[in-house]
Amino acid sequence: MSDMKGWKDIPIGGVIDKPATAREYKTGEWRIQRPIINREKCTNCMQCWLYCPDMAIGGRLDGKKMKLGEVNLDYCKGCGVCAAVCPVNAIEMKPESEFI
């Protein structure tokens, strides 16, 4: 047990130590669930885009209307917030193991 490092010896994790480098830290590898969007059910309400804590859901301007883009799996952590806030249940969280 004496071989273990103390809390002062463990490096700090999750720190962005240089400005404007957050995009370099691709955190999608943590995901155990993946959001799958059913485009037929989707009403483009953009609630998933608004509430995504990682800004992993893209949106694009189509004329004067916003349209739902794709999920950027490099940054999506699979938290399921998008599926929880979808008013028409157009987003289903599926186990990442189905996509290996």
Side-chain angles (χ1 to χ4, degrees), residues 31-36 71 73 76 78 91-96 99-100:
R31 187 179 52 252
I32 59 169
Q33 295 187 98
R34 177 184 293 201
I36 302 299
V71 177
L73 297 176
C76 173
I91 302 175
E92 180 182 358
M93 298 304 290
K94 292 200 172 189
E96 193 64 35
F99 303 96
I100 295 176

Side-chain angles (χ1 to χ4, degrees), residues 3-35:
D3 294 344
M4 295 179 69
K5 292 183 178 183
W7 68 272
K8 292 180 181 179
D9 301 320
I10 298 173
I12 297 172
V15 174
I16 297 173
D17 55 352
K18 295 178 203 139
T21 60
R23 290 198 184 266
E24 293 176 19
Y25 298 96
K26 297 187 177 178
T27 55
E29 295 172 358
W30 304 352
R31 187 179 52 252
I32 59 169
Q33 295 187 98
R34 177 184 293 201

Side-chain angles (χ1 to χ4, degrees), residues 25-62:
Y25 298 96
K26 297 187 177 178
T27 55
E29 295 172 358
W30 304 352
R31 187 179 52 252
I32 59 169
Q33 295 187 98
R34 177 184 293 201
I36 302 299
I37 302 170
N38 181 334
R39 298 292 176 168
E40 292 177 12
K41 283 184 171 183
C42 179
T43 61
N44 285 307
C45 70
M46 303 303 289
Q47 293 295 305
C48 55
W49 173 81
L50 181 65
Y51 284 98
C52 178
D54 299 306
M55 295 180 64
I57 298 178
R60 55 186 163 76
L61 201 54
D62 185 17

